[in-house]
Amino acid sequence: MESLSSIRVRFAPSPTGYLHIGGARTALFNFLFARANGGKFLLRIEDTDLERSSEAMIQYILDGLNWLGISPDEPYVLQSENRGKHISAANKLLNEGKAYRCFCTKDELEIQREKAQSAGKVYRYSGACRSLSDEAIKENLAAKMPYTVRLKIPDGVIRFKDMVFKKISVNNSELDDFIILRSDGTPVYQLAVVVDDAEMGISHVIRGEDHLSNTPKQILLYLALELPVPQFAHLPLILGNDGKRLSKRFGATSVGEFQELGFIPEGVNNSLALLGWSPKSNQTIFTLEELTAQFDMSGISKKGAIFDFDKMKWINGQHLTCLPAENLFARVANAWLDKGFIEEKEIENRHDYLLRSIDLLKERVRLVNEFVTFGSWFFTDPADYDEEGVKKHWESSDSSLLLSRLLEKWQNLASFSEEMTERTLRQLADELEIKAARLIHSVRLAVTGFTVSPSLFAVLAHLGKETVIRRIRLALSFIKNNSGKQ
RNA sequence: GUCGCGUUCGUCUAGUGGUUAGGACUCAGGACUUUCAUUCCUGCAACAGGGGUUCGACUCCCCUACGCGAUACCA
């Protein structure tokens, strides 16, 4: 067995069909802890519930981790493949008298439980089978009576130091002799985790707070099996805005959904890290590398964190502006491709144009999808114009005059550069004794269809003379038709 | 019910006996800019309640309330 001196952590999801955001955070913290301490980050699929598990579901998890950039360092382990080891561990305990066969039936136990509950008492297994005589056991076995295996819990108190929650102590009397092997011979979760974690040489178990109260049971199992007890760190839960555990009611809860919404891994990782962890400094925007460098268990909070979608978008936007356009290229180009703005071959043919487009827009968007919603004019003439904008900029009597005058000037421009368009526009404004802003707003609306855009003159130079002229003409006829209607 | 854990601005949080209780998102106002969704500045806004301990408690102790989790032949 590996010694515990080498740091090995694991993320152990059950394959439920997608990578939950809470799971992703657990994975991230495991990953960061491993990286920060020169350890290994492993993945174990808890597929004990075989009916609910499939290859495809495992793939979702792998894809999700991969997308986030936190793939495991070794091939994943399937819990179901360790079944034999779980069973022999149970047998070992049985042989050593640390566990015993329980012949009570499910129905009997159910009745006892109900009785205790209706009497307002705490139900715990009575221990009826704990001291069955060897003869009785033999008889039952001979009679082929089904049995479960239960761990014999000694008197005492379990104390452990959680890296997040600090000292925890639970009296063993709170725990009853829990089942480790079902009557069909399959191992129960508690046994499986302990055996698997030991088998994988896990040194630190980092998982959700919902496992905190399982920990004493598991420690008892480590002790009984004479396995080294790992360190534990429990992460506070991620909650929905009603303060309860995050569930499907809250919209996006899986990594895949965030991806579809237009989040990038950098943003998701950053947001997730800040849910329950805080750095020593005031820094809020982190790359994965920076997180790795600064991650520290002491920064983990004990309080459940409510998920703030607005902040998450803001963080994502920060990454979008910081990342060089080249890094965004593939994702944004794909979004444009999906939307039909461009064709496959254009990704290469018009590479520079696309890249510059991304560069112009990236400071203003928060989600990748917004490159689509606010970027249509890179590719097509505006199909319609912002209503407010039309009212504001195109409904005065001289609207078309202004645009026509500009059109005249620009048609004759030899160089349609940023400097030239700006200079000529301002000249015209002077000539007409109006504010340059009037012309600028009017042109922006004509060229993009929106009232907001990146720096107008940069936009003009980027689109080129031909397109700009065409769009101004289009706008002119729109204004004409529109005023005719009224 | 019992056990465990938690409780600082609306949200994420800093704070480890003496602070004008700090930062971030959101929101509001302002500045810059041709506009803005960018950037910058300003503002709003919090120690759950009650008892102790102490010269002095957000910080330590106890109680209450509230929340979450666990109490399965689920994981």
Side-chain angles (χ1 to χ4, degrees):
Chain A
M1 172 187 308
E2 296 239 11
S3 105
L4 290 189
S5 58
S6 59
I7 290 181
R8 291 166 68 82
V9 298
R10 89 302 196 274
F11 170 51
S14 44
T16 47
Y18 60 103
L19 180 55
H20 187 268
I21 207 72
R25 191 197 54 164
T26 304
L28 176 64
F29 281 32
N30 271 285
F31 175 90
L32 293 175
F33 181 76
R35 286 289 181 278
N37 296 288
K40 288 263 200 285
F41 168 62
L42 312 178
L43 175 66
R44 182 176 66 237
I45 305 289
E46 310 239 309
D47 61 340
T48 328
D49 190 350
L50 284 169
E51 291 190 6
R52 280 196 287 159
S53 309
S54 74
E55 281 288 309
M57 291 177 174
I58 295 172
Q59 198 54 47
Y60 283 127
I61 291 170
L62 255 17
D63 288 347
L65 293 178
N66 201 22
W67 183 72
L68 289 171
I70 53 173
S71 302
D73 296 319
E74 290 176 11
Y76 66 85
V77 172
L78 273 183
Q79 183 156 69
S80 58
E81 287 178 359
N82 282 345
R83 178 151 299 180
K85 286 172 184 139
H86 306 149
I87 294 171
S88 55
N91 286 335
K92 178 173 182 269
L93 295 176
L94 215 43
N95 293 336
E96 292 172 355
K98 292 170 177 168
Y100 59 92
R101 295 182 178 84
C102 172
F103 296 93
C104 300
T105 66
K106 237 183 216 178
D107 292 343
E108 283 167 1
L109 295 174
E110 195 53 43
I111 290 167
Q112 285 176 28
R113 191 194 323 275
E114 274 168 26
K115 206 184 281 176
Q117 269 170 2
S118 60
K121 286 187 183 165
V122 185
Y123 169 76
R124 287 203 192 89
Y125 174 61
S126 65
C129 297
R130 188 170 180 156
S131 44
L132 242 37
S133 68
D134 289 348
E135 276 173 38
I137 294 173
K138 252 179 214 159
E139 273 175 37
N140 287 342
L141 252 25
K144 297 251 194 283
M145 278 179 71
Y147 62 89
T148 59
V149 176
R150 311 186 87 114
L151 184 70
K152 202 180 278 180
I153 297 199
D155 290 334
V157 179
I158 287 292
R159 293 175 211 280
F160 67 100
K161 197 163 173 265
D162 187 273
M163 288 194 278
V164 175
F165 287 89
K166 307 306 169 195
K167 285 183 187 165
I168 307 274
S169 70
V170 174
N171 199 309
N172 291 5
S173 63
E174 299 301 330
L175 282 12
D176 59 0
D177 290 349
F178 60 92
I179 292 171
I180 55 177
L181 221 54
R182 298 188 185 92
S183 50
D184 64 0
T186 58
V188 162
Y189 169 74
Q190 310 284 7
L191 209 219
V193 212
V194 169
V195 172
D196 290 348
D197 281 339
E199 180 70 24
M200 291 168 77
I202 299 304
S203 60
H204 300 255
V205 172
I206 305 171
R207 70 223 310 190
E209 187 191 340
D210 46 342
H211 288 286
L212 190 58
S213 32
N214 282 340
T215 309
K217 289 184 183 177
Q218 289 165 208
I219 290 177
L220 249 12
L221 235 18
Y222 279 104
L223 261 21
L225 288 165
E226 295 168 325
L227 294 167
V229 182
Q231 300 253 48
F232 292 95
H234 288 90
L235 274 17
L237 263 20
I238 298 180
L239 313 169
N241 24 17
D242 61 352
K244 296 205 191 307
R245 254 177 113 152
L246 200 62
S247 73
K248 293 205 171 149
R249 283 169 291 141
F250 296 100
T253 51
S254 78
V255 170
E257 286 171 279
F258 281 98
Q259 183 178 5
E260 272 171 39
L261 251 22
F263 285 89
I264 58 174
E266 290 85 344
V268 175
N269 281 331
N270 194 155
S271 298
L272 249 26
L274 258 21
L275 273 186
W277 175 79
S278 62
K280 300 247 187 304
S281 67
N282 268 339
Q283 186 175 349
T284 29
I285 301 304
F286 293 88
T287 62
L288 232 206
E289 290 68 35
E290 288 172 318
L291 285 174
T292 304
Q294 296 185 40
F295 184 77
D296 176 7
M297 281 286 179
S298 67
I300 296 178
S301 133
K302 296 189 185 73
K303 202 177 89 182
I306 295 175
F307 187 81
D308 185 345
F309 197 70
D310 282 329
K311 190 166 185 174
M312 198 169 174
K313 280 203 294 200
W314 177 80
I315 288 174
N316 203 64
Q318 293 296 306
H319 283 277
L320 247 20
T321 60
C322 292
L323 249 23
E326 294 85 53
N327 291 17
L328 266 16
F329 188 84
R331 327 177 213 201
V332 179
N334 272 330
W336 282 335
L337 189 66
D338 286 346
K339 194 71 186 174
F341 285 175
I342 53 172
E343 286 172 36
E344 186 87 49
K345 60 179 188 232
E346 289 177 284
I347 291 183
E348 213 174 300
N349 295 348
R350 298 178 74 193
H351 180 274
D352 291 351
Y353 180 83
L354 299 182
L355 196 64
R356 173 69 178 145
S357 303
I358 294 170
D359 223 6
L360 284 173
L361 211 50
K362 73 188 180 76
E363 281 177 25
R364 298 162 182 269
V365 298
R366 297 185 166 191
L367 300 169
V368 172
N369 296 9
E370 288 173 349
F371 279 100
V372 172
T373 43
F374 297 114
S376 51
W377 49 270
F378 285 126
F379 311 103
T380 52
D381 296 343
D384 46 41
Y385 302 96
D386 182 281
E387 266 181 54
E388 291 298 308
V390 172
K391 274 189 199 141
K392 224 166 147 186
H393 307 302
W394 285 356
E395 286 191 353
S396 60
S397 52
D398 58 350
S399 297
S400 32
L401 176 73
L402 299 184
L403 276 179
S404 322
R405 291 292 299 273
L406 205 53
L407 190 64
E408 283 168 30
K409 285 214 177 237
W410 283 354
Q411 269 174 329
N412 301 322
L413 227 44
S415 153
F416 206 70
S417 67
E418 227 171 301
E419 297 72 34
M420 284 307 289
T421 48
E422 176 158 13
R423 194 190 305 165
T424 45
L425 182 140
R426 288 188 191 284
Q427 268 172 13
L428 180 63
D430 283 347
E431 286 168 27
L432 300 172
E433 295 184 318
I434 56 169
K435 283 174 86 173
R438 281 203 63 193
L439 290 169
I440 286 165
H441 291 142
S442 193
V443 175
R444 165 176 293 110
L445 189 60
V447 166
T448 68
F450 292 104
T451 53
V452 296
S453 78
S455 166
L456 179 69
F457 302 107
V459 166
L460 296 176
H462 180 55
L463 289 173
K465 182 174 170 183
E466 191 188 331
T467 301
V468 171
I469 298 293
R470 184 178 65 245
R471 290 186 187 178
I472 292 177
R473 289 208 172 106
L474 241 33
L476 246 16
S477 66
F478 174 88
I479 294 172
K480 197 175 161 196
N481 291 339
N482 223 39
S483 57
K485 270 182 215 153
Q486 284 174 357

